[in-house]
Amino acid sequence: MSGKTVLITGATSGLGLATALPLAEQGAEVVTVGRDRTRLPIEAPTTEFVVTTSQERTMPIRKAEAEWKGNLVEGAGRLKLGSGAFEGPYSFKSRLEEGQSATNPEELIGAAHAGCFTMALTAQLSQKGITPNRIYTIARVQLDKIGDAFAITRIELQTEAEISSIDDTTFQAIALDAKQNCPVSKALAGTEIHLTARLVNSR
Amino acid sequence: MSGKTVLITGATSGLGLATALPLAEQGAEVVTVGRDRTRLPIEAPTTEFVVTTSQERTMPIRKAEAEWKGNLVEGAGRLKLGSGAFEGPYSFKSRLEEGQSATNPEELIGAAHAGCFTMALTAQLSQKGITPNRIYTIARVQLDKIGDAFAITRIELQTEAEISSIDDTTFQAIALDAKQNCPVSKALAGTEIHLTARLVNSR
């Protein structure tokens, strides 16, 4: 990254900081924008911090599509991700019965949640200068019938992390924070979220 | 379905009823289990209702997996749906930059939400004996930076329904109900959800 200049907004903490540090370590000139110079972390000596009125970068809006033809039980649906990474069928049967090869909304919620939690955990580790070898997370999403209505009543996140330079107490605290504060966890405020986190090979 | 016997739990309303009625219409003997005989709808004359203590069917628990190797910015992740319908990469870049072909948690939330809303709308129509020709829904999921934290601040559902036998007032009421009460909407209580619903060809 030597000779390159990178502008990062909101780089005094969180994802912004986790992005700034490795780039700076690789020799990039990192120019960051934040609202509070006092939050500049002392461990970022190679980074030049420009403090201005906040002007956050434009965040992408993500799209997905659903189509349905016919009635509930005999009809058929299709789902498509905006990136084009996946398009495929879903149905009443694939949603409520076991052993189906078609997708369903609950496992998509699970993938979003497992993915978001795992990235948030990685972000927090990276912010501390720790690089995980591997993090593996399963999400289990429970659809229940409460009276006559369906509801997602519980999501279980189960994560295993191979990290060579962290103690379990620090790891558990970071994992809990990632569970509570990753964007998908915060959005899923209407359901219970449980976490089991295991450090596989600490030093 | 003639000659077949189908046992349905919780069939006095909602998805249970929407399942029972078309099966009964096709000649199946539908045996249902509910907790309240007084809720038996009068429009289900061919259905034999067995009233017992509630014993709801076992609902599936859906799984998905995430894996991450390396740090936040240079590392790479993979996501996998329990059904096997999709497995593919995701990364810091595919999450925060435009024009990426890899997936990200936000568009997976969008697919789950668009799919769940569309199925809930179909379920309510089917319950009224109305079969939609086609329902098409786009979900737009907005990831924002609030201070130093990321959050999913808004989901926009935009649906178009081709239904030949419904007036717009009834349709709008059903669509609003589906938006408020589909399981994914209820789970996503931590974000704003907006709906635009359009009836494409009413009678």
Side-chain angles (χ1 to χ4, degrees):
Chain A
M1 297 298 290
S2 187
K4 295 198 175 175
T5 302
V6 182
L7 174 65
I8 299 174
T9 61
T12 52
S13 67
L15 280 177
L17 178 59
T19 308
L21 292 179
L23 291 171
E25 280 163 15
Q26 287 167 60
E29 176 166 3
V30 178
V31 178
T32 76
V33 181
R35 278 162 297 185
D36 186 356
R37 192 180 190 94
T38 62
R39 301 182 64 176
L40 175 59
I42 55 169
E43 68 265 47
T46 67
T47 307
E48 177 189 350
F49 280 78
V50 178
V51 180
T52 74
T53 301
S54 171
Q55 183 164 4
E56 306 293 354
R57 75 179 133 187
T58 305
M59 300 293 296
I61 293 175
R62 301 306 187 177
K63 281 199 308 188
E65 298 162 57
E67 182 188 58
W68 192 277
K69 290 180 178 172
N71 70 14
L72 178 68
V73 177
E74 295 160 315
R78 287 192 74 77
L79 293 175
K80 185 180 177 181
L81 300 178
S83 66
F86 171 70
E87 177 176 1
Y90 82 117
S91 67
F92 185 64
K93 185 168 174 161
S94 78
R95 186 161 195 186
L96 293 179
E97 293 184 14
E98 301 275 9
Q100 301 297 310
S101 60
T103 192
N104 58 74
E106 285 64 51
E107 69 172 14
L108 292 164
I109 290 283
H113 202 184
C116 185
F117 166 80
T118 302
M119 193 185 274
L121 182 51
T122 303
Q124 293 218 16
L125 292 166
S126 297
Q127 198 173 331
K128 292 181 187 294
I130 298 167
T131 298
N133 298 321
R134 177 177 184 259
I135 297 176
Y136 171 73
T137 306
I138 299 185
R140 290 183 175 86
V141 180
Q142 196 165 331
L143 182 68
D144 271 327
K145 220 170 157 195
I146 307 290
D148 294 314
F150 287 88
I152 295 170
T153 51
R154 183 183 176 96
I155 299 177
E156 280 186 36
L157 298 173
Q158 184 181 339
T159 195
E160 280 184 9
E162 294 173 22
I163 307 168
S164 56
S165 52
I166 194 169
D167 62 88
D168 192 55
T169 305
T170 307
F171 169 71
Q172 293 294 338
I174 290 177
L176 182 63
D177 189 275
K179 175 210 139 186
Q180 288 170 337
N181 295 310
C182 89
V184 170
S185 282
K186 288 188 290 187
L188 288 168
T191 190
E192 280 182 31
I193 301 169
H194 297 264
L195 171 69
T196 313
R198 196 159 74 91
L199 194 56
V200 177
N201 57 344
S202 72
R203 59 182 164 186
Chain B
M1 296 300 291
S2 185
K4 294 197 176 175
T5 302
V6 182
L7 174 66
I8 300 174
T9 61
T12 52
S13 68
L15 280 178
L17 178 59
T19 310
L21 292 179
L23 291 171
E25 281 163 14
Q26 288 168 58
E29 177 167 3
V30 179
V31 178
T32 76
V33 180
R35 278 163 299 184
D36 186 356
R37 192 179 189 96
T38 62
R39 300 181 66 175
L40 174 60
I42 55 168
E43 69 266 44
T46 66
T47 306
E48 176 189 349
F49 281 78
V50 178
V51 179
T52 74
T53 302
S54 171
Q55 184 165 3
E56 305 293 354
R57 77 178 131 188
T58 305
M59 301 292 298
I61 293 175
R62 301 305 187 177
K63 282 200 308 189
E65 296 162 58
E67 183 189 55
W68 192 278
K69 291 179 177 172
N71 70 15
L72 178 67
V73 177
E74 296 161 313
R78 288 192 72 78
L79 293 175
K80 185 179 177 183
L81 299 179
S83 66
F86 171 70
E87 177 175 2
Y90 80 117
S91 68
F92 185 64
K93 185 169 175 160
S94 77
R95 187 160 195 187
L96 293 179
E97 293 184 13
E98 301 275 9
Q100 301 298 309
S101 60
T103 192
N104 58 74
E106 285 62 51
E107 68 173 14
L108 291 164
I109 290 284
H113 202 183
C116 186
F117 166 79
T118 301
M119 194 186 274
L121 182 50
T122 302
Q124 293 217 16
L125 292 166
S126 297
Q127 200 173 330
K128 291 181 187 295
I130 298 167
T131 297
N133 297 321
R134 178 177 183 261
I135 297 176
Y136 171 73
T137 307
I138 300 184
R140 291 184 174 84
V141 179
Q142 197 166 331
L143 182 68
D144 272 326
K145 217 167 160 201
I146 308 291
D148 294 314
F150 287 87
I152 295 171
T153 51
R154 184 184 175 95
I155 299 177
E156 279 187 36
L157 298 172
Q158 184 181 339
T159 196
E160 280 184 9
E162 295 173 22
I163 307 168
S164 55
S165 52
I166 195 169
D167 62 88
D168 191 56
T169 305
T170 306
F171 169 70
Q172 293 293 338
I174 290 176
L176 182 64
D177 189 276
K179 174 210 140 186
Q180 289 170 336
N181 295 311
C182 88
V184 171
S185 282
K186 287 188 290 187
L188 289 167
T191 189
E192 279 182 31
I193 301 169
H194 297 264
L195 171 69
T196 314
R198 196 160 73 90
L199 193 56
V200 177
N201 57 343
S202 72
R203 61 183 163 186

